[in-house]
Amino acid sequence: DQQVKQNSPSLSVQEGRISILNCDYTNSMFDYFLWYKKYPAEGPTFLISISSIKDKNEDGRFTVFLNKSAKHLSLHIVPSQPGDSAVYFCAARGIGGSNYKLTFGKGTLLTVNP
Amino acid sequence: EPEVTQTPSHQVTQMGQEVILRCVPISNHLYFYWYRQILGQKVEFLVSFYNNEISEKSEIFDDRFSVERPDGSNFTLKIRSTKLEDSAMYFCASSASLTDTQYFGPGTRLTVL
């Protein structure tokens, strides 16, 4: 049951360049999407989110883009820094009733090289 | 900055024993969650809790699992008759409202031998 898919298990970029992490989803009932960052031995840390009524949300170096027709979202980090090296999880949430649980992707390990 | 805390950080138990994992959610939050991540797999939803009741639970959350808010600050996950396959990282999360962002604790690593 892969309702949220992150097809790239890992990504390596140079410091200062752009990192683009991708996420696809299959459930059209999802209407809110989040990105979490996770360091080893820590819990997921909220990074940025986007509602399905928007196609872009920006917070500092982080921008999330949503293409609802393609059921695809991406996280852009510009410029990438070595401290950004972590596992990034895409998560999705539905609306109404009891559908507020988060459904996570498998994560993408980002390595930013100095 | 307020944060979710969890204890212990690592729990080792024998198969068949009972364990209690503890969480202190962010103080003004009303919605509480447990998730787990088996090594190498996705983070999976277990249960949500609001107003002293379970709001939603997954198929993983069978009758060996229970949750409780014994006082105004703690939120616990109890697993009875533990199995080897319960070994995982267990994350507690909380949110101020149903639609607000869920904030996660650092996790408890449960090892069932």
Side-chain angles (χ1 to χ4, degrees), chain A:
Chain A
D1 176 17
Q2 285 206 71
Q3 297 188 70
V4 178
K5 300 181 217 178
Q6 292 177 259
N7 291 321
S8 298
S10 63
L11 175 68
S12 183
V13 300
Q14 285 300 119
E15 181 178 5
R17 298 290 188 104
I18 184 172
S19 296
I20 300 176
L21 299 113
N22 293 303
C23 178
D24 297 290
Y25 62 97
T26 56
N27 189 340
S28 54
M29 295 301 292
F30 289 147
D31 85 319
Y32 195 76
F33 304 91
L34 307 92
W35 285 94
Y36 285 84
K37 178 170 76 172
K38 186 181 179 303
Y39 294 116
E42 293 185 14
T45 301
F46 170 71
L47 202 53
I48 192 169
S49 60
I50 188 166
S51 165
S52 60
I53 62 172
K54 294 186 173 182
D55 56 16
K56 176 182 173 181
N57 189 26
E58 191 172 350
D59 183 2
R61 297 186 297 114
F62 303 91
T63 303
V64 55
F65 295 92
L66 175 63
N67 183 333
K68 203 174 172 185
S69 61
K71 294 191 176 69
H72 176 84
L73 60 154
S74 60
L75 174 67
H76 293 211
I77 307 173
V78 183
S80 302
Q81 298 173 354
D84 296 329
S85 298
V87 177
Y88 288 78
F89 290 102
C90 172
R93 196 184 72 194
I95 52 167
S98 58
N99 295 321
Y100 291 97
K101 66 182 181 186
L102 296 178
T103 300
F104 283 84
K106 283 191 170 184
T108 297
L109 173 62
L110 173 65
T111 303
V112 180
N113 302 301

Side-chain angles (χ1 to χ4, degrees), chain B residues 54-65:
Chain B
I54 290 175
S55 309
E56 185 180 5
K57 60 183 180 179
S58 71
E59 60 273 10
I60 302 168
F61 195 89
D62 62 30
D63 56 9
R64 298 180 302 114
F65 291 78

Side-chain angles (χ1 to χ4, degrees), chain B residues 15-16 76:
Chain B
M15 188 171 57
T76 62

Side-chain angles (χ1 to χ4, degrees), chain B residues 8-66:
Chain B
S9 56
H10 191 188
Q11 175 85 49
V12 181
T13 191
Q14 294 290 324
M15 188 171 57
Q17 296 297 303
E18 174 183 291
V19 295
I20 298 176
L21 310 183
R22 291 183 166 79
C23 168
V24 180
I26 293 172
S27 63
N28 62 342
H29 284 187
L30 301 176
Y31 294 82
F32 314 112
Y33 313 84
W34 284 100
Y35 291 80
R36 79 172 186 190
Q37 184 181 27
I38 294 172
L39 190 62
Q41 298 187 23
K42 293 184 181 187
V43 176
E44 302 173 289
F45 169 79
L46 292 178
V47 66
S48 60
F49 189 85
Y50 168 71
N51 199 25
N52 280 320
E53 288 184 349
I54 290 175
S55 309
E56 185 180 5
K57 60 183 180 179
S58 71
E59 60 273 10
I60 302 168
F61 195 89
D62 62 30
D63 56 9
R64 298 180 302 114
F65 291 78
S66 61

